[in-house]
């Protein structure tokens, strides 16, 4: 009587196709959501031809909506609260940069008033954030 012998073969490779599919799916999700996280406040700054500004971790961004509301860290605040908060930041670090992004429909007087308040709080480095000008 002949005896059959079964051989066991081992797999020496891992199927990485599902891993790559998942990686590409996550990459696409992050590429779609990343720009939305940065500019989640509805502000349309005016167009200008200016140099790009590199923001660092010590910088603070003030947003002014078209209705005149002031936002700092995505919270609506008043002018007095803005000055108090900026005075607190000034005590922490003297090299803090302040970026001011105002909607193009905000009156220039309101923007100048905020600039004066930030400057009087002791911040000499105030930057106006604009969008890149398109030439047609």
């Amino acid at each position: 009587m002949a005896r059959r012998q079964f051989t066991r073969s081992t797999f020496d490779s891992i199927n990485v196709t599902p891993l790559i599919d998942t990686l590409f799916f996550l990459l696409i999700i992050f590429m779609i959501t990343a720009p939305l996280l940065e500019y989640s406040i509805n502000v349309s700054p005016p167009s200008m031809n200016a140099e790009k500004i590199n923001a660092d971790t010590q910088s603070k961004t003030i947003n002014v909506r078209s209705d005149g509301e002031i936002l700092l860290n995505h919270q609506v605040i008043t002018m007095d609260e803005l000055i108090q908060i900026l005075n607190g930041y000034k005590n922490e670090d003297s090299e803090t940069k302040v970026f001011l992004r105002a909607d193009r429909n905000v009156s220039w007087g309101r923007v100048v008033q905020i600039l004066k308040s930030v400057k009087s709080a002791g911040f000499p480095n105030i930057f106006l954030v604009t969008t890149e000008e398109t030439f047609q």
Side-chain angles (χ1 to χ4, degrees), residues 74-125:
H74 303 286
Q75 294 180 348
V76 178
I77 58 173
T78 64
M79 182 67 79
D80 295 331
E81 292 172 339
L82 175 67
I83 294 170
Q84 290 175 355
I85 292 170
L86 288 178
N87 284 331
Y89 288 146
K90 185 62 178 174
N91 294 334
E92 292 175 6
D93 188 13
S94 61
E95 296 297 320
T96 303
K97 296 177 185 175
V98 177
F99 294 99
L100 177 61
R101 180 177 24 206
D103 196 271
R104 71 183 70 172
N105 297 327
V106 174
S107 69
W108 180 245
R110 179 79 169 150
V111 175
V112 170
Q113 179 186 13
I114 295 171
L115 281 171
K116 284 174 59 177
S117 298
V118 172
K119 186 117 175 141
S120 67
F123 290 91
N125 298 325

Side-chain angles (χ1 to χ4, degrees), residues 32-40 74:
I32 291 171
T33 58
L36 299 176
L37 295 175
E38 185 177 350
Y39 298 106
S40 61
H74 303 286

